[in-house]
Amino acid sequence: MEMPAPDPRILARRDAIVAALEAAAPGAVIHDPAETRAYECDALSAYRCPPLAVVLPRSTAEVAAVLRACAAEGVPVVPRGAGTSLAGGSMPTADAVVVGLARMNRVLEISAEDRLVRVEAGRTNLAVSDAVVGEGFFYAPDPSSQLACAIGGNIAMNSGGAHCLKYGVTTNNLLGLTVVLMDGSVVELGGPMGESGGLDLMGVVCGSEGQLGLVTEATLRILPKPAGARPVLVAFDSAETAGACVAAIIRAGVLPVAIEFMDRPCIRATEAFAHAGYPDCEALLIIEAEGTAPEIDEALGLIRDIAEGFAPLEFRESRSEDESRRIWLGRKSAFGAMGQINDYMCLDGTIPVSALPRVLARIGQLSAEHGLEVANVFHAGDGNMHPLILYDANAPGDLERAEAFGADILRLCVEAGGCLTGEHGVGIEKRDLMTVQYAPADLEAQMRVKDVFDPEWLLNPAKVFPLAVSAGRRERMRDAA
């Protein structure tokens, strides 16, 4: 994966830059090369590069001071939440400063009356719900990495999760933002009601992958906890049949809170890891309904009627809270379970639900063509696929084969009427495929938005846009340094 060469002029000023950072955020700077290695990559660990320095600020004011110092020195800045990005969104270059928000994890306000919580951007996703559960509320977006991933990263990638089918993704649960721009200015977007006059700048920032500013605080919508919830396991003898069942459920207008898909390789690995009690089958759906007991019974009855038309091998309702917990533990553990048995590359593309059977069949064909096994686990209800391409990181050429296989899957998603990403972002992983989805005029329009927020192109400059497309803007930044 190509990255720009570091600017030797910045590397030559390393000591002066570190001194400026320490003046901006005393006691928050890491510059020992042995310690900066902890920040050399994110969850796309096949690629890595230690940064020039790392800063872990404690407040919005310190973030602003750090960005002002970097802007004055012409130093690129790579924002970092918890480092769980699967697309290389927080991978640095050797001449970049990583600004990590892990220390900024406080709850600033809880209002049950207004159904909102305001938190610093370094707070983990699951810890947001933990903060409001005593009030009878929860925060709906729930990425599989929710135990570790930070709200700032969720906003950068517009993350979703298993329950986004009913509750939406981050942007649907976002009310307000505090954002620090590259020149150190602090702007407030949105508000307690999630509305403001003029342009929807909050909608522009959410999903912008750290290209426009650093989010330091977020006001989030919280929802009353449902009266109850119950998942079912539906087993099938083929992935295509399971995909067709999902399309039929959505077409019928039934709206469960979640529909998750797993195929045999993932089922077996997850069962060995989490002992969730999954049936051994070619494909499995986890479908959850919520509400009062009569509402759940009615919804699951409709889902059973639809599923029966596809001759499931098994239709099993959870019988207890413990069984429900284990069912979801298995799904949330899927990526970790696969990691115990193989190296893998996790992709993220989105397709129309109606295209699921055809796309799953074609992924199987591509697997044979590339000679690499693939495991499928994804949010089936909204067509957000997460194929896991299995390869041997120690075998010469295997990584390159996995990348080629992954590129073919992502092209397939676009050809099917979908897009390159649903929640993982573009980062560096999909950067060079942006021309598959966007025409030159589309990419130019997106880069002009970045020009307005970050005219010197110092924020995450090697991400999202193909390097050849963004070269002129990045070189302008270098010339000004």
Side-chain angles (χ1 to χ4, degrees), residues 180-452:
V180 182
L181 303 184
M182 191 61 220
D183 63 2
S185 57
V186 179
V187 297
E188 302 287 341
L189 304 177
M193 297 299 106
E195 298 177 357
S196 58
L199 299 173
D200 180 15
L201 296 179
M202 187 168 66
V204 174
V205 170
C206 184
S208 62
E209 303 195 28
Q211 294 278 307
L212 308 181
L214 266 72
V215 173
T216 58
E217 297 177 13
T219 303
L220 309 171
R221 177 180 287 111
I222 54 176
L223 302 171
K225 286 185 66 67
R230 191 187 317 150
V232 296
L233 300 175
V234 192
F236 295 93
D237 59 6
S238 79
E240 293 83 358
T241 303
C245 181
V246 172
I249 291 170
I250 299 300
R251 186 167 57 246
V254 181
L255 186 64
V257 69
I259 307 178
E260 296 292 295
F261 176 104
M262 302 171 74
D263 66 7
R264 184 183 289 277
C266 193
I267 293 166
R268 288 185 169 175
T270 301
E271 183 62 18
F273 180 81
H275 309 292
Y278 292 158
D280 189 18
C281 55
E282 289 299 325
L284 176 69
L285 298 180
I286 302 172
I287 308 175
E288 184 170 81
E290 67 178 19
T292 63
E295 289 171 336
I296 293 173
D297 289 340
E298 180 181 5
L300 293 184
L302 293 171
I303 290 167
R304 179 188 286 273
D305 290 343
I306 295 169
E308 289 296 338
F310 296 88
L313 301 176
E314 185 176 355
F315 188 101
R316 185 200 310 168
E317 289 191 30
S318 171
R319 297 175 294 263
S320 67
E321 288 189 12
D322 180 66
E323 186 174 359
S324 297
R325 181 193 61 78
R326 286 189 291 114
I327 286 171
W328 280 113
L329 174 63
R331 170 59 185 89
K332 295 285 186 179
S333 302
F335 291 174
M338 291 299 300
Q340 285 198 329
I341 64 171
N342 223 102
D343 299 311
Y344 68 81
M345 178 179 293
C346 176
L347 298 180
D348 162 53
T350 300
I351 61 171
V353 174
S354 60
L356 277 172
R358 174 168 62 88
V359 170
L360 286 168
R362 180 58 183 147
I363 288 175
Q365 294 168 355
L366 288 171
S367 175
E369 292 172 13
H370 286 275
L372 293 173
E373 190 176 2
V374 61
N376 288 290
V377 51
F378 57 88
H379 312 311
D382 67 342
N384 186 189
M385 307 189 73
H386 296 315
L388 309 181
I389 299 173
L390 310 185
Y391 72 101
D392 183 352
N394 295 314
D398 248 31
L399 174 60
E400 291 74 17
R401 283 201 298 153
E403 289 179 331
F405 184 6
D408 281 348
I409 291 176
L410 293 171
R411 291 188 189 97
L412 174 63
C413 289
V414 175
E415 291 166 6
C419 57
L420 292 173
T421 180
E423 59 179 342
H424 291 179
V426 174
I428 61 171
E429 178 197 44
K430 308 181 186 80
R431 181 189 62 198
D432 298 323
L433 291 170
M434 285 285 276
T435 54
V436 173
Q437 182 171 342
Y438 296 106
D442 299 322
L443 292 173
E444 175 63 22
Q446 294 176 42
M447 291 190 295
R448 289 178 67 184
V449 172
K450 180 169 174 61
D451 289 341
V452 173

